[in-house]
Amino acid sequence: MDIALLSLSSCLGCQMVFLSLEEYLYELIGGNRVVYAPFLMDKKELHHADLALVEGTVRNTEHFLKAREIREKADRVVALGTCSCFGGVQGLADLYPESRLLRSRFGDTAFEGGPQGVRRLLPLDSFIRVDAYLPGCPPVPALLEGFLRSAVSGDRLSREGATVCAECKVTSPPLPQPGPRRLTEGSGEPGKCLLDSGFFCLGPLTRDGCGALCPSGMGVPCRGCRGPSGRVLERKGADVEGETVRRLARATGKKEEEIRAEVPDPAHTYYFFCLAEPLLRKRRSGGTSPYLHRLGE
Amino acid sequence: MAEERSILLDEARCIGCRECVELCPQTGGTQFPVFERGERVPRVANPGSCLACLTCVEVCRSLALTVDGLRRWEGYVDPRAGNKEAAIY
């Protein structure tokens, strides 16, 4: 099988995971050919690929043309990483007008001659048809290995997902707990649920597959890097912000308004990795549309 | 006559937050509570009392609870999201 790796606007972190595959990497390149991977090898042109893994988002016209080209030349296109699946951290760009972003990055110097930027940052499937998604920032090596194994053998590229809490090996502490708090304001007891300890943990709303490495092993609250769970994505009534606030109110014994008042940056707190996802935009309650910068304003 | 329900709790997934116990309308102060607080995880004591309101299934953060003998509640499900969800690894 011919495999192509392509990055659009990205940090290359997802391709870096290929180097962490260890023994499986040899197995992969032994039985298959990597035909195009500008990050790993010197190859300028792509002719045809059976499987193309695309990471990053479409940020300007150059990226869009590149994405369209790979769609034409590849049989199966996979969105690799949270950026191309849900917009990722780059989705936060839509919190501000483009002129302000350019000014803060390049100062008052005129920005001319470069490719034209897209007006709205969106996941890859808003621009081209995508056959499968592998979210993660970056996806853990075991997950990528499992995905590549089923991709190479031609299996169906999806797995039944749950939430990070389903994989988290913790127990609930006695309530109420102090909070709401962040990691800079104290650390949780090892082996105890961080959300019930008063931390902003997005485990209940995030897709599993990472093995709950951060909350379970390191004591770091989940930021939602694997993107929204199936329930959040599918149900129009699911409200990421509301559910987290409700659970924190229960854990800390405070009112919901008090919790909301202590969050100065709701978009960064609740939608750090999925602000750009169009499916989360319009909701009966919650949703990302209040945070997105209105075009033309 | 309501048919006998069975409530399945995946103990490996459950973290024991007891939100299901607190929010179940047939548990607090009833004679035959559906849930009991249990040791590490809650215990399903009287599944026959269950009204199938599915509150416990909705609030469960680790998707550890399933109520048997019911179709999945399909209201307000976004079909476009279903397509995307079907292809996520």
Side-chain angles (χ1 to χ4, degrees):
Chain A
M1 184 177 273
D2 291 349
I3 300 170
L5 284 166
L6 179 83
S7 54
L8 305 174
S9 175
S10 71
C11 67
L12 296 168
C14 297
Q15 291 195 38
M16 205 76 96
V17 183
F18 271 84
L19 305 177
S20 312
L21 284 175
E22 297 173 0
E23 282 170 19
Y24 180 67
L25 185 64
Y26 290 99
E27 200 185 316
L28 183 76
I29 55 179
N32 307 283
R33 282 196 311 155
V34 179
V35 288
Y36 182 75
F39 173 60
L40 301 173
M41 50 195 264
D42 189 18
K43 187 82 190 280
K44 296 282 186 292
E45 268 193 44
L46 170 68
H47 297 294
H48 174 263
D50 296 313
L51 181 75
L53 300 150
V54 183
E55 65 157 357
T57 49
V58 175
R59 201 73 190 89
N60 55 36
T61 43
E62 228 171 59
H63 295 143
F64 175 63
L65 293 174
K66 226 167 157 186
R68 213 168 55 174
E69 185 195 341
I70 201 113
R71 178 68 263 182
E72 282 166 11
K73 290 180 175 172
D75 292 345
R76 281 197 291 178
V77 172
V78 176
L80 174 68
T82 306
C83 287
S84 55
C85 291
F86 303 114
V89 181
Q90 303 179 44
L92 295 173
D94 277 352
L95 284 171
Y96 316 103
E98 193 185 345
S99 55
R100 191 178 146 189
L101 287 176
L102 285 175
R103 202 168 54 239
S104 67
R105 176 68 184 83
F106 299 103
D108 288 329
T109 16
F111 187 68
E112 282 170 6
Q116 202 193 346
V118 290
R119 297 196 71 193
R120 169 74 83 207
L121 203 132
L122 291 162
L124 186 65
D125 59 358
S126 300
F127 297 97
I128 58 167
R129 186 168 56 81
V130 172
D131 299 304
Y133 304 83
L134 175 59
C137 191
V140 289
L143 203 69
L144 182 64
E145 186 185 326
F147 180 83
L148 287 171
R149 275 185 198 280
S150 41
V152 166
S153 63
D155 285 350
R156 191 162 159 259
L157 291 175
S158 73
R159 59 190 274 284
E160 196 165 334
T163 58
V164 171
C165 290
E167 291 185 326
C168 200
K169 299 277 170 283
V170 292
T171 53
S172 195
L175 305 181
Q177 292 277 327
R181 44 187 180 158
R182 293 168 195 252
L183 215 54
T184 47
E185 295 160 298
S187 56
E189 209 182 315
K192 294 289 178 199
C193 175
L194 287 164
L195 184 61
D196 281 355
S197 305
F199 289 95
F200 287 94
C201 181
L202 291 183
L205 306 147
T206 303
R207 187 172 300 277
D208 68 337
C210 56
L213 284 175
C214 305
S216 185
M218 327 268 187
V220 176
C222 176
R223 294 295 309 265
C225 80
R226 276 269 291 162
S229 71
R231 188 189 274 184
V232 174
L233 206 62
E234 279 184 85
R235 302 244 176 113
K236 286 179 183 169
D239 176 4
V240 174
E241 185 174 344
E243 280 198 40
T244 312
V245 168
R246 180 180 64 74
R247 289 201 172 100
L248 279 172
R250 171 183 174 268
T252 56
K254 289 183 179 172
K255 284 185 183 150
E256 290 193 11
E257 297 81 59
E258 289 175 70
I259 307 282
R260 282 183 200 270
E262 291 200 31
V263 186
D265 52 347
H268 286 81
T269 308
Y270 306 114
Y271 302 105
F272 197 70
F273 289 92
C274 56
L275 191 73
E277 175 55 53
L279 292 166
L280 298 179
R281 202 174 294 157
K282 286 203 177 113
R283 291 280 158 112
R284 286 195 303 163
S285 58
T288 56
S289 51
Y291 304 118
L292 294 170
H293 174 75
R294 300 263 182 282
L295 293 171
E297 273 180 16
Chain B
M1 179 75 191
E3 59 185 290
E4 190 73 12
R5 305 229 179 275
S6 80
I7 301 170
L8 304 172
L9 175 68
D10 187 339
E11 294 194 5
R13 281 187 173 188
C14 180
I15 64 158
C17 66
R18 308 287 193 298
E19 271 191 86
C20 48
V21 184
E22 284 171 21
L23 290 168
C24 175
Q26 290 290 85
T27 291
T30 54
Q31 193 180 0
F32 301 106
V34 177
F35 293 106
E36 280 176 4
R37 288 194 74 82
E39 291 275 310
R40 191 187 75 81
V41 296
R43 196 173 74 81
V44 182
N46 298 296
S49 305
C50 177
L51 299 171
C53 67
L54 302 189
T55 304
C56 55
V57 179
E58 283 299 306
V59 298
C60 183
R61 59 182 76 173
S62 47
L63 273 65
L65 276 162
T66 37
V67 177
D68 245 19
L70 289 166
R71 276 195 310 125
R72 195 170 156 230
W73 185 66
E74 279 168 358
Y76 307 109
V77 171
D78 193 331
R80 293 170 307 147
N83 293 339
K84 187 162 185 171
E85 174 62 20
I88 299 184
Y89 190 79

Coordinates of all heavy atoms in Angstrom, one line a residue, chain A residues 87-163:
Chain A
G87 N -10.5 21.1 14.1 CA -10.0 22.5 14.1 C -8.8 22.7 15.1 O -8.0 23.6 14.9
G88 N -8.9 22.0 16.2 CA -7.8 22.0 17.2 C -7.6 23.4 17.8 O -8.4 24.2 17.8
V89 N -6.4 23.5 18.3 CA -6.0 24.8 19.0 C -6.1 26.0 18.0 O -6.4 27.1 18.4 CB -4.6 24.7 19.5 CG1 -4.2 26.0 20.2 CG2 -4.4 23.5 20.5
Q90 N -5.9 25.7 16.7 CA -5.9 26.8 15.8 C -7.3 27.4 15.6 O -7.4 28.5 15.2 CB -5.4 26.3 14.4 CG -4.0 25.7 14.5 CD -3.6 25.1 13.2 OE1 -3.8 25.8 12.2 NE2 -3.0 24.0 13.2
G91 N -8.3 26.6 16.0 CA -9.7 27.1 15.9 C -9.9 28.3 16.8 O -10.8 29.1 16.6
L92 N -9.0 28.5 17.8 CA -9.1 29.6 18.7 C -8.9 31.0 18.0 O -9.2 32.0 18.5 CB -8.2 29.5 19.9 CG -8.4 28.3 20.9 CD1 -7.3 28.2 21.9 CD2 -9.7 28.5 21.6
A93 N -8.3 30.9 16.8 CA -8.0 32.1 16.0 C -9.3 32.8 15.7 O -9.3 34.0 15.6 CB -7.3 31.7 14.7
D94 N -10.4 32.1 15.6 CA -11.7 32.7 15.3 C -12.3 33.5 16.4 O -13.4 34.1 16.3 CB -12.7 31.7 14.7 CG -12.4 31.4 13.3 OD1 -11.6 32.1 12.7 OD2 -13.1 30.5 12.7
L95 N -11.6 33.5 17.5 CA -12.1 34.4 18.6 C -11.8 35.9 18.3 O -12.5 36.7 18.9 CB -11.3 34.1 19.9 CG -11.6 32.8 20.7 CD1 -10.6 32.6 21.8 CD2 -13.0 32.9 21.3
Y96 N -10.9 36.1 17.4 CA -10.5 37.5 17.1 C -10.6 37.8 15.6 O -10.5 36.9 14.8 CB -9.0 37.7 17.5 CG -8.7 37.2 18.9 CD1 -8.0 36.0 19.0 CD2 -9.1 37.8 20.0 CE1 -7.7 35.4 20.2 CE2 -8.9 37.2 21.3 CZ -8.2 36.0 21.4 OH -7.9 35.5 22.6
P97 N -10.8 39.1 15.2 CA -10.8 39.4 13.8 C -9.4 39.2 13.2 O -8.4 39.3 13.9 CB -11.1 40.9 13.8 CG -11.0 41.4 15.2 CD -11.1 40.2 16.1
E98 N -9.4 38.9 11.9 CA -8.1 38.5 11.3 C -7.1 39.7 11.3 O -5.9 39.5 11.5 CB -8.4 38.2 9.8 CG -7.2 37.5 9.1 CD -7.5 37.2 7.6 OE1 -8.7 37.3 7.2 OE2 -6.6 37.0 6.9
S99 N -7.6 40.9 11.2 CA -6.7 42.1 11.1 C -6.0 42.2 12.5 O -4.8 42.5 12.5 CB -7.5 43.3 10.9 OG -8.5 43.5 11.8
R100 N -6.7 41.8 13.6 CA -6.0 41.9 14.9 C -5.0 40.8 15.0 O -3.9 41.1 15.6 CB -7.1 41.8 16.0 CG -6.6 42.1 17.3 CD -7.7 42.0 18.4 NE -7.1 41.6 19.6 CZ -7.8 41.2 20.7 NH1 -9.1 41.2 20.6 NH2 -7.2 40.8 21.8
L101 N -5.2 39.7 14.5 CA -4.3 38.6 14.6 C -3.0 38.9 13.8 O -1.9 38.7 14.3 CB -4.9 37.3 14.0 CG -5.9 36.5 14.8 CD1 -6.4 35.4 14.0 CD2 -5.3 36.1 16.1
L102 N -3.2 39.5 12.6 CA -2.0 39.8 11.8 C -1.2 40.9 12.4 O 0.0 40.9 12.4 CB -2.5 40.3 10.4 CG -3.0 39.2 9.4 CD1 -3.5 39.7 8.2 CD2 -1.8 38.2 9.1
R103 N -1.9 41.9 13.0 CA -1.2 43.0 13.6 C -0.4 42.5 14.8 O 0.7 42.9 15.1 CB -2.2 44.1 14.1 CG -1.6 45.4 14.2 CD -2.6 46.6 14.4 NE -3.6 46.3 15.4 CZ -4.9 46.3 15.3 NH1 -5.4 46.4 14.0 NH2 -5.7 46.1 16.3
S104 N -1.0 41.6 15.6 CA -0.3 41.1 16.8 C 0.9 40.3 16.4 O 1.9 40.2 17.1 CB -1.2 40.4 17.7 OG -1.6 39.2 17.1
R105 N 0.9 39.6 15.2 CA 2.0 38.7 14.8 C 3.0 39.5 14.1 O 4.2 39.4 14.3 CB 1.4 37.6 14.0 CG 2.5 36.7 13.4 CD 3.1 35.9 14.5 NE 4.2 35.0 14.0 CZ 5.4 35.4 13.8 NH1 5.7 36.7 14.0 NH2 6.3 34.6 13.4
F106 N 2.6 40.4 13.1 CA 3.5 41.1 12.2 C 3.7 42.5 12.5 O 4.4 43.2 11.8 CB 3.1 40.9 10.8 CG 3.1 39.4 10.4 CD1 1.9 38.7 10.3 CD2 4.2 38.7 10.1 CE1 1.8 37.4 9.9 CE2 4.2 37.4 9.7 CZ 3.0 36.7 9.6
G107 N 3.0 43.1 13.5 CA 3.1 44.5 13.8 C 2.4 45.3 12.8 O 1.5 44.8 12.1
D108 N 2.9 46.5 12.6 CA 2.2 47.4 11.6 C 2.8 47.3 10.2 O 2.3 47.9 9.3 CB 2.3 48.9 12.1 CG 1.5 49.1 13.3 OD1 0.4 48.4 13.4 OD2 1.8 49.9 14.2
T109 N 3.8 46.4 10.0 CA 4.3 46.2 8.7 C 3.2 45.7 7.8 O 2.4 44.8 8.2 CB 5.4 45.2 8.7 OG1 5.4 44.4 9.9 CG2 6.8 45.8 8.5
A110 N 3.2 46.2 6.6 CA 2.2 45.7 5.6 C 2.4 44.3 5.3 O 3.5 43.8 5.1 CB 2.3 46.6 4.4
F111 N 1.3 43.5 5.2 CA 1.4 42.1 5.0 C 0.9 41.8 3.5 O -0.2 41.8 3.3 CB 0.6 41.3 6.0 CG 0.7 39.8 5.9 CD1 1.9 39.2 6.2 CD2 -0.3 39.0 5.4 CE1 2.1 37.8 6.1 CE2 -0.2 37.6 5.4 CZ 1.0 37.1 5.7
E112 N 1.9 41.8 2.6 CA 1.5 41.8 1.2 C 2.2 40.6 0.5 O 3.3 40.2 0.9 CB 1.8 43.1 0.5 CG 0.9 44.2 0.8 CD 1.3 45.5 0.3 OE1 2.4 45.5 -0.4 OE2 0.7 46.5 0.6
G113 N 1.6 40.1 -0.5 CA 2.2 39.1 -1.4 C 2.1 37.7 -0.9 O 2.3 36.8 -1.7
G114 N 1.6 37.5 0.3 CA 1.4 36.1 0.8 C 0.1 35.6 0.3 O -0.7 36.3 -0.3
P115 N -0.1 34.3 0.5 CA -1.4 33.7 0.1 C -2.5 34.2 0.9 O -2.3 34.6 2.1 CB -1.2 32.2 0.4 CG 0.0 32.1 1.3 CD 0.8 33.3 1.1
Q116 N -3.7 34.3 0.3 CA -4.8 34.9 1.0 C -5.3 33.9 2.1 O -5.5 32.7 1.8 CB -5.9 35.2 0.0 CG -6.9 36.2 0.5 CD -8.1 36.3 -0.3 OE1 -8.1 35.7 -1.4 NE2 -9.1 36.9 0.2
G117 N -5.6 34.4 3.3 CA -6.1 33.6 4.4 C -7.5 33.2 4.2 O -8.3 33.9 3.5
V118 N -8.0 32.1 4.8 CA -9.4 31.8 4.8 C -10.1 32.7 5.8 O -9.5 33.1 6.8 CB -9.6 30.3 5.2 CG1 -9.2 29.4 4.0 CG2 -9.0 29.9 6.5
R119 N -11.4 32.9 5.5 CA -12.1 33.9 6.4 C -12.5 33.2 7.7 O -12.7 33.8 8.7 CB -13.3 34.4 5.7 CG -12.9 35.2 4.4 CD -14.0 36.1 4.0 NE -14.3 37.2 4.9 CZ -15.4 37.9 4.8 NH1 -16.3 37.7 3.9 NH2 -15.6 38.9 5.7
R120 N -12.7 31.9 7.6 CA -13.2 31.2 8.8 C -12.4 29.9 8.9 O -12.2 29.2 8.0 CB -14.7 30.9 8.7 CG -15.2 29.9 9.7 CD -15.4 30.6 11.0 NE -16.6 31.3 11.1 CZ -16.8 32.3 12.0 NH1 -15.8 32.7 12.7 NH2 -18.0 32.9 12.0
L121 N -11.8 29.6 10.1 CA -11.1 28.4 10.3 C -12.0 27.2 10.5 O -12.9 27.3 11.4 CB -10.1 28.6 11.5 CG -9.0 27.6 11.4 CD1 -7.7 28.3 11.6 CD2 -9.1 26.4 12.3
L122 N -11.9 26.2 9.7 CA -12.8 25.1 9.8 C -12.0 23.8 9.7 O -10.9 23.7 9.2 CB -13.8 25.1 8.6 CG -14.8 26.2 8.6 CD1 -15.4 26.4 7.3 CD2 -15.9 25.9 9.7
P123 N -12.6 22.7 10.2 CA -11.9 21.4 10.1 C -11.7 21.0 8.6 O -12.4 21.5 7.7 CB -12.7 20.4 10.8 CG -13.8 21.1 11.4 CD -13.8 22.5 11.0
L124 N -10.9 20.0 8.3 CA -10.6 19.6 7.0 C -11.8 19.1 6.2 O -11.9 19.4 5.0 CB -9.5 18.5 7.0 CG -9.0 18.0 5.7 CD1 -8.2 19.1 5.0 CD2 -8.1 16.8 5.9
D125 N -12.8 18.4 6.9 CA -13.9 17.9 6.2 C -14.9 19.0 5.7 O -15.8 18.7 5.0 CB -14.6 16.8 7.0 CG -15.1 17.4 8.3 OD1 -14.9 18.6 8.6 OD2 -15.8 16.7 9.1
S126 N -14.6 20.2 6.1 CA -15.4 21.3 5.5 C -14.9 21.7 4.1 O -15.6 22.4 3.4 CB -15.4 22.5 6.4 OG -15.9 22.2 7.7
F127 N -13.7 21.3 3.8 CA -13.1 21.7 2.5 C -13.1 20.5 1.5 O -13.4 20.7 0.3 CB -11.7 22.2 2.7 CG -11.6 23.5 3.5 CD1 -11.4 23.4 4.9 CD2 -11.9 24.7 3.0 CE1 -11.4 24.6 5.7 CE2 -11.9 25.9 3.7 CZ -11.6 25.8 5.1
I128 N -12.7 19.3 2.0 CA -12.7 18.2 1.1 C -13.4 17.0 1.8 O -13.6 17.0 3.0 CB -11.2 17.8 0.8 CG1 -10.4 17.5 2.0 CG2 -10.5 18.8 -0.1 CD1 -9.1 16.8 1.8
R129 N -13.7 16.0 1.0 CA -14.3 14.8 1.6 C -13.3 14.0 2.4 O -12.2 13.8 1.8 CB -15.0 13.9 0.5 CG -15.8 12.8 1.0 CD -16.6 12.2 -0.1 NE -15.7 11.8 -1.3 CZ -15.0 10.7 -1.3 NH1 -15.0 9.8 -0.3 NH2 -14.2 10.4 -2.4
V130 N -13.6 13.6 3.6 CA -12.6 12.9 4.4 C -13.2 11.5 4.7 O -14.4 11.4 5.0 CB -12.4 13.6 5.7 CG1 -11.5 12.8 6.7 CG2 -11.6 14.9 5.4
D131 N -12.4 10.4 4.6 CA -12.9 9.1 4.7 C -12.9 8.6 6.2 O -13.7 7.8 6.6 CB -12.2 8.1 3.8 CG -12.3 8.5 2.4 OD1 -13.5 8.6 1.9 OD2 -11.3 8.7 1.7
A132 N -11.9 9.0 6.9 CA -11.8 8.6 8.3 C -11.1 9.7 9.1 O -10.4 10.5 8.6 CB -11.0 7.3 8.4
Y133 N -11.3 9.6 10.4 CA -10.7 10.6 11.3 C -9.9 9.9 12.4 O -10.3 8.9 12.9 CB -11.8 11.4 12.0 CG -12.8 12.1 11.1 CD1 -13.8 11.4 10.5 CD2 -12.6 13.4 10.7 CE1 -14.7 12.0 9.7 CE2 -13.5 14.1 9.9 CZ -14.5 13.4 9.3 OH -15.4 14.0 8.5
L134 N -8.8 10.5 12.7 CA -8.0 10.0 13.9 C -7.6 11.2 14.7 O -6.6 11.8 14.6 CB -6.7 9.2 13.4 CG -5.8 8.8 14.5 CD1 -6.5 7.9 15.5 CD2 -4.6 8.1 14.0
P135 N -8.5 11.6 15.7 CA -8.2 12.8 16.5 C -7.1 12.4 17.6 O -6.9 11.3 17.9 CB -9.5 13.2 17.1 CG -10.4 11.9 17.0 CD -9.8 11.1 16.0
G136 N -6.6 13.5 18.1 CA -5.6 13.4 19.2 C -4.6 14.5 19.0 O -4.3 14.9 17.9
C137 N -4.0 15.0 20.1 CA -3.1 16.1 19.9 C -1.8 15.8 20.7 O -1.6 16.4 21.7 CB -3.8 17.4 20.5 SG -2.8 18.9 20.1
P138 N -0.9 15.0 20.1 CA -1.1 14.1 19.0 C -1.7 12.8 19.5 O -1.8 12.6 20.7 CB 0.3 13.9 18.5 CG 1.1 13.9 19.8 CD 0.5 14.9 20.7
P139 N -2.2 12.0 18.5 CA -2.7 10.7 18.9 C -1.6 9.8 19.6 O -0.5 9.9 19.1 CB -3.2 10.0 17.6 CG -2.7 10.8 16.5 CD -2.4 12.2 17.1
V140 N -1.9 9.1 20.6 CA -0.8 8.3 21.3 C -0.4 7.2 20.3 O -1.1 6.8 19.5 CB -1.3 7.7 22.6 CG1 -1.5 8.8 23.7 CG2 -2.6 7.0 22.5
P141 N 0.9 6.8 20.4 CA 1.5 5.8 19.5 C 0.6 4.6 19.4 O 0.4 4.1 18.3 CB 2.9 5.5 20.0 CG 3.2 6.8 20.8 CD 2.0 7.3 21.3
A142 N 0.1 4.1 20.5 CA -0.7 2.8 20.5 C -1.9 3.0 19.6 O -2.3 2.1 18.9 CB -1.1 2.4 21.9
L143 N -2.5 4.2 19.7 CA -3.7 4.5 18.9 C -3.4 4.6 17.4 O -4.1 4.0 16.6 CB -4.3 5.8 19.4 CG -5.8 6.0 19.2 CD1 -6.6 5.1 20.0 CD2 -6.1 7.5 19.5
L144 N -2.3 5.2 17.1 CA -1.9 5.4 15.7 C -1.6 4.0 15.1 O -1.9 3.7 14.0 CB -0.7 6.3 15.6 CG -0.2 6.6 14.2 CD1 -1.3 7.3 13.4 CD2 1.1 7.4 14.3
E145 N -0.9 3.2 16.0 CA -0.6 1.9 15.5 C -1.8 1.0 15.2 O -1.9 0.4 14.1 CB 0.3 1.2 16.5 CG 0.8 -0.2 16.1 CD 1.6 -0.9 17.1 OE1 2.2 -0.3 18.0 OE2 1.5 -2.2 17.1
G146 N -2.8 1.1 16.1 CA -4.0 0.3 15.9 C -4.7 0.8 14.6 O -5.3 0.0 13.8
F147 N -4.7 2.1 14.4 CA -5.4 2.7 13.3 C -4.7 2.3 12.0 O -5.3 1.9 11.0 CB -5.3 4.3 13.4 CG -6.0 5.0 12.3 CD1 -7.3 5.2 12.2 CD2 -5.2 5.4 11.2 CE1 -7.9 5.8 11.2 CE2 -5.8 6.1 10.1 CZ -7.2 6.3 10.2
L148 N -3.3 2.4 12.0 CA -2.6 2.0 10.8 C -2.8 0.5 10.4 O -2.9 0.1 9.3 CB -1.1 2.4 10.9 CG -0.8 3.9 10.8 CD1 0.6 4.1 11.2 CD2 -1.1 4.4 9.5
R149 N -2.8 -0.3 11.5 CA -3.0 -1.7 11.3 C -4.3 -2.0 10.6 O -4.3 -2.8 9.6 CB -2.9 -2.5 12.6 CG -1.6 -2.8 13.1 CD -1.6 -3.7 14.3 NE -0.3 -3.7 15.0 CZ 0.7 -4.4 14.7 NH1 0.6 -5.2 13.6 NH2 1.8 -4.4 15.4
S150 N -5.4 -1.4 11.0 CA -6.7 -1.6 10.4 C -6.7 -0.9 9.0 O -7.4 -1.4 8.1 CB -7.8 -1.2 11.3 OG -7.6 0.0 11.9
A151 N -6.0 0.2 8.9 CA -6.0 0.9 7.6 C -5.3 0.0 6.5 O -5.7 -0.1 5.4 CB -5.4 2.2 7.7
V152 N -4.2 -0.6 6.9 CA -3.4 -1.3 6.0 C -4.1 -2.6 5.6 O -4.0 -3.1 4.5 CB -2.0 -1.6 6.6 CG1 -1.2 -2.7 5.8 CG2 -1.2 -0.3 6.6
S153 N -4.8 -3.2 6.6 CA -5.5 -4.5 6.3 C -6.8 -4.2 5.7 O -7.5 -5.1 5.3 CB -5.7 -5.3 7.6 OG -6.5 -4.6 8.5
G154 N -7.2 -2.9 5.5 CA -8.5 -2.6 4.8 C -9.7 -2.7 5.7 O -10.8 -2.8 5.1
D155 N -9.6 -2.7 7.0 CA -10.7 -2.8 7.9 C -11.5 -1.5 7.9 O -11.0 -0.5 7.4 CB -10.3 -3.2 9.3 CG -10.0 -4.6 9.4 OD1 -10.2 -5.4 8.4 OD2 -9.4 -5.0 10.4
R156 N -12.6 -1.5 8.6 CA -13.4 -0.3 8.8 C -12.7 0.6 9.7 O -12.2 0.2 10.8 CB -14.8 -0.7 9.3 CG -15.7 0.5 9.3 CD -17.1 -0.1 9.4 NE -18.0 1.0 9.9 CZ -18.4 1.1 11.1 NH1 -18.0 0.2 12.0 NH2 -19.2 2.1 11.5
L157 N -12.5 1.9 9.4 CA -11.6 2.8 10.2 C -12.5 3.5 11.2 O -12.6 4.8 11.1 CB -10.9 3.7 9.3 CG -9.8 3.0 8.4 CD1 -9.2 4.0 7.5 CD2 -8.7 2.5 9.3
S158 N -13.1 2.8 12.1 CA -13.7 3.5 13.2 C -13.7 2.6 14.4 O -13.6 1.4 14.3 CB -15.1 4.0 12.8 OG -16.0 2.9 12.8
R159 N -13.9 3.2 15.6 CA -14.0 2.3 16.7 C -15.1 2.9 17.6 O -15.3 4.1 17.6 CB -12.7 2.2 17.5 CG -12.1 3.6 18.0 CD -10.7 3.4 18.5 NE -10.7 3.1 19.9 CZ -10.9 3.9 20.9 NH1 -11.3 5.1 20.7 NH2 -10.9 3.5 22.2
E160 N -15.7 2.1 18.4 CA -16.7 2.6 19.3 C -16.1 3.3 20.4 O -15.4 2.8 21.2 CB -17.6 1.4 19.8 CG -18.9 1.9 20.3 CD -19.9 0.8 20.5 OE1 -19.8 -0.3 19.8 OE2 -20.7 0.9 21.4
G161 N -16.4 4.6 20.5 CA -15.8 5.4 21.5 C -16.6 5.6 22.7 O -17.8 5.4 22.7
A162 N -16.0 5.9 23.8 CA -16.7 6.2 25.1 C -16.1 7.6 25.5 O -15.9 8.4 24.7 CB -16.4 5.2 26.1
T163 N -15.9 7.8 26.8 CA -15.3 9.0 27.2 C -14.0 8.7 28.0 O -13.8 7.6 28.3 CB -16.3 9.8 28.2 OG1 -16.6 8.9 29.3 CG2 -17.6 10.1 27.5

